[in-house]
Amino acid sequence: MGYYVTVDSGVRLYVEDINPDGSKTIVFLHGWPLSHKQFEYQFDVLPFMGYRCIGIDWRGFGKSDKPISGYNFDQLADDIRTVVDVLRLANFTLAGHSTGGAIAIRYMSRHNGYKVSNLVLIDAAAPIGFTTETANKFLTQALNDRPKMMREVIDNFFFQYITSSFFEWFFQLGLQAAGWSTAAIIITLRDEKLYADLSEVLVPTLIVHGVHDKVIPYAQAQELNQKIRHSQLVPFHYSGHGAFWEERDKFNHLLRQFIG
């Protein structure tokens, strides 16, 4: 079931809510520049095992409204807080991939882990996102040839082989975003750091990271593991930046084990 939640004046986020009667809830935050649809291979499985799965498209991405502003971690975390309040969620698992992981960490610090019982960080873009060099390259491409940028993103995304059909599907997910929001998040990933947030994460945390990740180096997952209390790091030896798909059976099993 899909619907919209108003989070700001004139800004509605698209929410995909699968199995609302599930006994345990997982809120998924996608990566840049994608949408909730990246978690298709979780949504195909977990709801049938009794979980309520909620995918949220951030402002500017997927099916959500695309305002001109609000693309910093504070506002993006506040948007998630509003959805949590409107849906009256409690005792849920917050799972964020890449930039979604950074947003999840900011949510935990800024909102004191409001209603979150467990945190899952998947190839998280934290405590830093893009280097200045990488960000400036992507920014130039985003403002001049966004499809070319998206193709380069995918070329470095996966360690395992993907079919041309899968490539095209993933490519279209990225192009659903607005150009201005795509560029704005690049700047946020370049300029915002999350070091001070890590000590504020107080719930059990599962860190999943592909050892072949070319987007966010595995060493950053090790740093998160060192600085987030009650965290465990599970390396995915056959994954790049897409552990949620590249080793989806392992990932789904691990998620179920962690949540219970």
Side-chain angles (χ1 to χ4, degrees), residues 7 13-16 27-30 34-37 39 43 54-59 61 64 79-81 83-84 87 89 94:
V7 295
L13 298 194
Y14 180 79
V15 176
E16 191 72 50
V27 173
F28 290 88
L29 303 180
H30 62 83
L34 303 166
S35 75
H36 76 279
K37 289 188 175 182
F39 295 112
F43 298 158
I54 296 173
I56 303 172
D57 289 348
W58 336 322
R59 63 169 63 206
F61 295 81
S64 289
D79 289 349
I80 303 306
R81 167 65 188 263
V83 174
V84 170
L87 271 56
L89 301 180
L94 182 60

Side-chain angles (χ1 to χ4, degrees), residues 97-116:
H97 170 254
S98 194
T99 307
I103 296 167
I105 290 170
R106 178 56 53 86
Y107 178 93
M108 297 302 293
S109 65
R110 185 169 170 84
H111 296 289
N112 300 311
Y114 181 72
K115 303 294 185 179
V116 175

Side-chain angles (χ1 to χ4, degrees), residues 72-79 106 110-111 192:
N72 55 77
F73 288 148
D74 282 354
Q75 182 60 64
L76 294 165
D78 290 352
D79 289 349
R106 178 56 53 86
R110 185 169 170 84
H111 296 289
E192 291 203 42

Side-chain angles (χ1 to χ4, degrees), residues 134-146 149 183 186:
T134 298
N136 290 345
K137 181 187 78 170
F138 279 148
L139 194 57
T140 298
Q141 290 180 335
L143 296 174
N144 292 281
D145 192 342
R146 189 160 61 99
M149 182 212 76
I186 295 170

